[in-house]
Amino acid sequence: MSTENEGTAVPPAPSAPPVPVDIPAASPQQPAPPYAQADDATTAPMPVTPPGAPGAPEQPPHAPGIPAYASANPQGGAPEGGWPPPPPPTHAHPEPAPGGPGDGSGWGTPHAQPAPKPGGRRGGLLAAVLVAALVAGGLGGGIGYTLARDDDSSSTTVSASDSGGDLKRDSGTVAAVTAKALPSTVTIEAESSSGEGGTGTGFVFDTEGHIITNNHVVADAVDGGKLTATFPNGKKYDAEVVGNAQGYDVAVVKLKNAPSDLKPLTLGDSDKVAVGDSTIAIGAPFGLSNTVTTGIISAKDRPVASSDGTSSQASYMSALQTDASINPGNSGGPLLDAKGNVIGINSAIQSSSNGGFGTGQSGSIGLGFAIPINQAKYVAQELIKTGKPVYAKIGASVSLEDSSGGAKITDTGAGGTDPVEAGGPADKAGLKPGDVITKLDQTVIDSGPTLIGEIWTHKPGDKVTITYERGGRTDTVDVTLGSRVGDS
């Protein structure tokens, strides 16, 4: 996925609606107005071993056409890079999504609308995903419009009184929740030393000026780049990356000269979220800062794997799925519950095709994914404390081949190393190469990425029960998870 910027020109609206004129009847041979069409995406093979696992090999570059971090680059395209392990058979297959209205459906009038001018000022990133496309940045897309024609005919409608009384919004309404949460969200602009970058979202984590966002939102600014955060009131602050975790796709930045009146958003409990709960997403889709959308929790524990396209490192999450509209630029923004508590960090979408408004960017089809806040909170605290992420591990390399039968421990590790780390958690538990892990506690494991994502929801030192198959027999064993510091 590429990282995006704001700035695509918007076509000027006409000063008056079109005036109806008498025209001859249309000829039967007259063609219908053309509509934009979307192209299908291609898929790429899954790598053999998980990046980030002990002894894991370098991964192949991301194939063009595969859904990636859904952030636009200024040129309207997305460079190649990254890898997408294909999803298990039980999950939907991602495709690039339409980047805006006009991708095959009419906009209300048969009149052709002026097309927006492609534009922007910086390059971007591309990366692939297992289930979804990560969303960062927001290239300003064109804005469609329709015009209503004035009707001069007389009307029998009786006008109502202009005075409707005072409007009072209850604390549980979307408007009330939004009014409280918006002042604590920021639009983040990241720029590398070479001038490439994009736009995403973040939210206030504490009164000291720490902001939580996605790793792929700030990746361009990690090594000597420039980073800014702008609040809804227009106040803009320079910022710096405190720490970033590629595997978790979480990053923490800190405002320079942070104001003293920061109000951190209240964090909820993502473990207690239920399917059907209301959700509110805040972000800067396609550069439209401070945009609010609503929906519900559509599913929980959805395995998602993706890469930011800059290296072989992959991101894994056991995600919250929501149908709240999430688009490029929503990445790093808060997913709220009905009371305004943060339950997740918006990070990914599954999209159907590319195209729309000349940006070539994927758009929402109602399948968005967020990192559960319980996991993100732990990661953020570690990043603030040490600047480095800490990952739980079992100490074994597993295959990432498409399989619904489980996660198979490989016969050989990367570069001929042992697939089971000597003295590691898996070794101590008696697990061996060729074993197929089918459950972690009560969670069904249908592939290597699912296992990794589920392990990373735990902390080092946690004890888990692993169910595995060996030689046609099923057995269980308790494993105390080890730890790995850093992304390398």
Side-chain angles (χ1 to χ4, degrees):
M1 304 173 197
S2 52
T3 321
E4 301 162 334
N5 313 290
E6 301 177 9
T8 298
V10 177
S15 59
V19 179
V21 296
D22 292 332
I23 58 174
S27 168
Q29 288 78 28
Q30 184 176 358
Y35 295 111
Q37 296 182 355
D39 297 328
D40 293 334
T42 59
T43 58
M46 179 179 289
V48 177
T49 56
E58 291 293 322
Q59 302 298 334
H62 166 63
I66 297 177
Y69 286 112
S71 26
N73 61 50
Q75 288 76 27
E80 300 180 1
W83 67 273
T90 56
H91 306 303
H93 294 280
E95 299 176 1
D103 57 333
S105 59
W107 266 74
T109 70
H111 301 288
Q113 304 297 339
K117 300 178 181 178
R121 52 190 177 86
R122 293 175 285 197
L125 303 172
L126 174 68
V129 300
L130 170 69
V131 178
L134 295 179
V135 291
L139 180 62
I143 299 177
Y145 58 88
T146 57
L147 297 174
R149 187 174 64 185
D150 292 336
D151 190 349
D152 294 331
S153 61
S154 60
S155 172
T156 58
T157 302
V158 178
S159 298
S161 170
D162 291 337
S163 177
D166 293 334
L167 179 60
K168 183 178 181 180
R169 295 180 176 88
D170 295 333
S171 58
T173 62
V174 174
V177 169
T178 300
K180 185 177 180 181
L182 263 177
S184 297
T185 62
V186 296
T187 298
I188 296 175
E189 292 186 66
E191 183 177 318
S192 69
S193 55
S194 62
E196 295 184 346
T199 305
T201 309
F203 60 93
V204 177
F205 183 61
D206 59 28
T207 57
E208 296 178 6
H210 290 112
I211 304 292
I212 291 185
T213 185
N214 284 138
N215 170 70
H216 69 268
V217 170
V218 302
D220 284 326
V222 170
D223 297 320
K226 180 181 179 182
L227 197 66
T228 61
T230 305
F231 285 85
N233 61 8
K235 293 183 178 180
K236 190 173 187 177
Y237 297 86
D238 290 332
E240 60 183 353
V241 178
V242 172
N244 59 302
Q246 293 179 345
Y248 292 120
D249 195 26
V250 173
V252 176
V253 304
K254 188 174 183 180
L255 304 177
K256 297 179 180 180
N257 301 316
S260 59
D261 58 348
L262 289 175
K263 295 181 179 179
L265 291 183
T266 303
L267 305 185
D269 186 346
S270 52
D271 290 340
K272 295 182 179 179
V273 171
V275 174
D277 283 349
S278 297
T279 58
I280 302 170
I282 300 178
F286 296 101
L288 302 175
S289 299
N290 315 318
T291 295
V292 178
T293 56
T294 63
I296 62 169
I297 292 292
S298 304
K300 296 180 61 176
D301 304 320
R302 189 70 80 191
V304 176
S306 56
S307 170
D308 66 3
T310 61
S311 69
S312 61
Q313 296 292 343
S315 300
Y316 296 91
M317 58 176 137
S318 184
L320 296 175
Q321 180 181 325
T322 180
D323 67 345
S325 182
I326 295 175
N327 284 289
N330 279 103
S331 267
L335 184 69
L336 309 172
D337 63 17
K339 293 184 178 180
N341 302 312
V342 181
I343 55 175
I345 300 177
N346 301 316
S347 300
I349 59 173
Q350 179 166 327
S351 53
S352 60
S353 62
N354 282 328
F357 288 131
T359 65
Q361 290 302 300
S362 54
S364 173
I365 58 171
L367 294 174
F369 303 92
I371 302 168
I373 195 60
N374 289 6
Q375 178 181 3
K377 176 183 177 181
Y378 161 72
V379 176
Q381 290 172 335
E382 290 295 323
L383 292 176
I384 292 172
K385 186 186 304 182
T386 68
K388 297 181 179 179
V390 179
Y391 299 91
K393 69 173 185 176
I394 63 170
S397 297
V398 294
S399 172
L400 296 182
E401 293 178 353
D402 187 11
S403 170
S404 60
K408 181 181 179 181
I409 299 179
T410 55
D411 294 324
T412 58
T417 59
D418 293 334
V420 178
E421 178 187 343
D427 185 32
K428 291 179 180 179
L431 293 174
K432 300 179 181 300
D435 289 347
V436 179
I437 298 173
T438 58
K439 272 188 178 183
L440 192 148
D441 290 333
Q442 298 304 311
T443 300
V444 174
I445 303 300
D446 53 14
S447 67
T450 303
L451 175 64
I452 297 171
E454 189 61 28
I455 288 174
W456 285 359
T457 65
H458 293 76
K459 300 176 182 178
D462 285 353
K463 181 178 288 187
V464 298
T465 299
I466 287 181
T467 302
Y468 66 97
E469 296 178 354
R470 179 190 298 169
R473 298 183 57 182
T474 300
D475 205 350
T476 61
V477 64
D478 289 336
V479 176
T480 300
L481 299 176
S483 66
R484 171 172 64 86
V485 179
D487 284 303
S488 59

